[in-house]
Amino acid sequence: MRITMVGTGYVGLVTGTCFANTGNDVTCLDIDQSKIDKLNNGISPIYEPGLDELIQRNAKANRLHFTTDKAASYENAEIIFIAVGTPSGDDGRANLQYVLAAAQDIGDAIEASNDTREKIIVVKSTVPVGTNIKVQEAVASRTKKTFHMASNPEFLKEGAAINDFNKPDRVVIGAHTKYAADKMRDLYEPFVRQGNPIFIMDIPSAEMVKYASNCMLATKISFINEVANLCEAYGADVNEVRRGMCSDKRIGNQFLYPGLGYGGSCFPKDVLAMISMGQDIGHPALLLESVHKVNQDQRDAFMTKINSHFDGADWSKLKIAVWGIAFKPGTDDIREAPSITLMQKLLEKGATVTAFDPVAHETAEEVLGDKITYAEDAMTALTDADALIVCTDWAEFKHPDFEAMNDKMATPVIFDGRNIFRRSTMREFGFVYHSVGRAVVSKETSKA
């Protein structure tokens, strides 16, 4: 099939590349010329394992194209996916200006086109229920020709997006016509040959599936953090509590890891959007309001531990090391990352901050600039540090040389926001160790 993907952000680029990899002819359209230039040189503007190689292979096979030319992109497309950003506004509502602008452009192109085929317009962006109607109206305001609407929410995890797309748990398609539903089913058939389902449903339900899914996962994260805070107050160990709780098959163990809370481009935005959807219809989403508050408070609670430990200290003389900047491992995405919040608070107090992340230095510099120092490796970040804060649970952080760490640091103090270290190990190597939902390890060895 001939496919046009509007937007070369995370969703659009991964989706377009994976479709091209199954033999479709895909054109990725973006208004950012510098991004298109990079892509035409085989360089992905985002970090996603395996994506560069996939882009290069399909571009070389002439199945994957990148352009800023709207008219050429839309002319022969059978299916047009809208995959532009829907950032949260100040009130938490999804900003639809880019989605609706794309819809108007598509309407203009359909009207001017000599292609007699009835095009399918698919909203891939995460949008509130009712947005497809607005897109349909925006397109129809520019053309009298027949077109079909569909909704196709994405369920990609950053750091594992290619595998998620190629082996989806499910594919959700909202469509109001059999023509659109059948074409979309044909497009996705190669990805579900292991028997995973393609769900065809009405468009409002498809729009809601994405929000319901992400908000459920966010709720699990806030729930386990609430449990962790209670464990800490009562002297229980949240890791043991989690182990006992998650052995119940009705509960499971996914997304039930205590820490600094969720971040990234999806959960924070989608929780706020669903809260706004409830407000707009007069049905407050009370549970999700609490989920959001618990998540935001979790960072403040962790900063309180740091403040308490350094009570009375001259912050201008403190050097703090940070391991991990990205909101999760496997990505360079720092949107709503807890690390950014914590580092900004530390800078406000006057501390010197040195951070290391395997892939997120460049994206961090866009936000923090030269306010912090970016170390070349994890151990270098620890040089003369008064404390280490672990913000991201990258695999390479989980089994370091603790003896070397102790030697590098001015004082052996760790604030572990991801609970990646064993308390017994911390005690063995003489660290003061603060984690989430567990008692403090207070044994400290003096340094020669």
Side-chain angles (χ1 to χ4, degrees), residues 158-427:
E158 293 189 48
I162 293 172
N163 185 68
D164 285 348
F165 195 93
N166 289 331
K167 300 176 181 178
D169 293 332
R170 78 292 202 194
V171 174
V172 174
I173 296 166
H176 285 166
T177 66
K178 185 176 185 301
Y179 177 78
D182 288 347
K183 292 282 279 188
M184 289 293 289
R185 185 190 295 276
D186 288 345
L187 180 61
Y188 273 103
E189 281 290 350
F191 302 98
V192 295
R193 288 178 177 165
Q194 300 302 314
N196 288 342
I198 295 178
F199 295 119
I200 307 291
M201 60 186 71
D202 61 274
I203 286 177
S205 296
E207 290 174 320
M208 183 63 87
V209 167
K210 175 59 186 289
Y211 281 110
S213 299
N214 276 359
C215 288
M216 180 67 220
L217 297 176
T219 298
K220 293 177 78 172
I221 293 170
S222 283
F223 171 78
I224 195 63
N225 280 333
E226 188 89 320
V227 171
N229 295 338
L230 288 170
C231 285
E232 205 163 317
Y234 280 94
D237 185 329
V238 71
N239 283 8
E240 295 301 314
V241 172
R242 178 187 177 278
R243 205 154 58 102
M245 177 183 71
C246 293
S247 63
D248 188 326
K249 292 179 181 178
R250 297 171 301 171
I251 296 172
N253 60 11
Q254 297 211 7
F255 287 84
L256 288 169
Y257 292 93
L260 298 174
Y262 55 78
S265 62
C266 293
F267 289 5
K269 176 171 69 71
D270 293 351
V271 169
L272 288 174
M274 203 159 180
I275 290 171
S276 297
M277 287 164 58
Q279 293 170 344
D280 291 344
I281 205 167
H283 186 87
L286 301 180
L287 175 61
L288 294 180
E289 289 175 5
S290 297
V291 167
H292 174 67
K293 185 176 188 308
V294 168
N295 191 66
Q296 300 310 107
D297 289 351
Q298 193 70 3
R299 305 171 193 201
D300 293 336
F302 199 74
M303 190 64 203
T304 298
K305 295 181 184 182
I306 300 171
N307 287 335
S308 297
H309 178 85
F310 289 111
D311 186 34
D314 183 348
W315 281 90
S316 67
K317 295 180 180 178
L318 294 179
K319 179 180 178 182
I320 309 297
V322 174
W323 280 5
I325 304 175
F327 86 94
K328 61 175 280 188
T331 180
D332 63 350
D333 194 344
I334 62 167
R335 287 173 286 184
E336 300 293 331
S339 64
I340 300 297
T341 303
L342 293 174
M343 286 191 285
Q344 288 173 333
K345 290 179 181 293
L346 291 168
L347 292 170
E348 288 170 4
K349 287 183 167 294
T352 299
V353 178
T354 300
F356 171 74
D357 189 284
V359 301
H361 283 187
E362 286 187 18
T363 49
E365 282 189 80
E366 293 173 8
V367 174
L368 296 173
D370 59 1
K371 294 178 182 177
I372 68 169
T373 300
Y374 304 91
E376 294 183 0
D377 56 68
M379 282 298 178
T380 300
L382 297 178
T383 304
D384 298 326
D386 294 290
L388 164 66
I389 302 174
V390 180
C391 290
T392 315
D393 51 337
W394 286 95
E396 65 188 80
F397 298 159
K398 293 181 179 179
H399 295 284
D401 184 336
F402 292 110
E403 205 168 310
M405 288 174 65
N406 203 318
D407 289 340
K408 277 271 190 184
M409 299 176 71
T411 53
V413 179
I414 297 176
F415 295 91
D416 184 356
R418 297 300 180 186
N419 285 9
I420 63 173
F421 299 140
R422 292 179 179 273
R423 294 175 66 251
S424 58
T425 303
M426 296 291 94
R427 188 176 294 108

Side-chain angles (χ1 to χ4, degrees), residues 21-255:
N21 202 48
T22 54
N24 297 288
D25 189 285
V26 179
T27 297
C28 293
L29 171 67
D30 204 289
I31 61 173
D32 187 335
Q33 186 64 56
S34 63
K35 186 185 287 189
I36 293 299
D37 290 342
K38 288 181 72 174
L39 286 164
N40 279 323
N41 287 317
I43 302 170
S44 172
I46 60 172
Y47 176 81
E48 179 63 33
L51 185 57
D52 278 12
E53 179 187 351
L54 215 54
I55 288 171
Q56 293 161 13
R57 182 196 310 161
N58 285 280
K60 186 177 181 180
N62 205 34
R63 292 190 298 262
L64 184 60
H65 322 277
F66 303 100
T67 184
T68 58
D69 188 334
K70 295 178 184 178
S73 298
Y74 296 135
E75 175 64 28
N76 295 314
E78 299 170 65
I79 304 178
I80 301 169
F81 285 83
I82 298 176
V84 297
T86 54
S88 294
D90 293 338
D91 60 358
R93 288 169 172 78
N95 185 338
L96 300 178
Q97 63 172 316
Y98 306 113
V99 171
L100 297 178
Q104 291 174 346
D105 287 342
I106 293 167
D108 290 339
I110 291 175
E111 186 64 23
S113 175
N114 294 319
D115 190 353
T116 59
R117 288 174 296 190
E118 296 178 0
K119 298 184 186 296
I120 300 171
I121 301 168
V122 183
V123 178
K124 191 73 172 171
S125 303
T126 301
V127 294
V129 176
T131 299
N132 271 257
I133 294 174
K134 294 179 181 178
V135 170
Q136 183 172 357
E137 291 171 347
V139 176
S141 71
R142 303 299 183 105
T143 182
K144 300 301 181 185
K145 295 180 181 179
T146 300
F147 61 92
H148 301 262
M149 291 297 305
S151 175
N152 177 218
E154 55 84 17
F155 303 98
L156 306 177
K157 298 188 297 291
E158 293 189 48
I162 293 172
N163 185 68
D164 285 348
F165 195 93
N166 289 331
K167 300 176 181 178
D169 293 332
R170 78 292 202 194
V171 174
V172 174
I173 296 166
H176 285 166
T177 66
K178 185 176 185 301
Y179 177 78
D182 288 347
K183 292 282 279 188
M184 289 293 289
R185 185 190 295 276
D186 288 345
L187 180 61
Y188 273 103
E189 281 290 350
F191 302 98
V192 295
R193 288 178 177 165
Q194 300 302 314
N196 288 342
I198 295 178
F199 295 119
I200 307 291
M201 60 186 71
D202 61 274
I203 286 177
S205 296
E207 290 174 320
M208 183 63 87
V209 167
K210 175 59 186 289
Y211 281 110
S213 299
N214 276 359
C215 288
M216 180 67 220
L217 297 176
T219 298
K220 293 177 78 172
I221 293 170
S222 283
F223 171 78
I224 195 63
N225 280 333
E226 188 89 320
V227 171
N229 295 338
L230 288 170
C231 285
E232 205 163 317
Y234 280 94
D237 185 329
V238 71
N239 283 8
E240 295 301 314
V241 172
R242 178 187 177 278
R243 205 154 58 102
M245 177 183 71
C246 293
S247 63
D248 188 326
K249 292 179 181 178
R250 297 171 301 171
I251 296 172
N253 60 11
Q254 297 211 7
F255 287 84

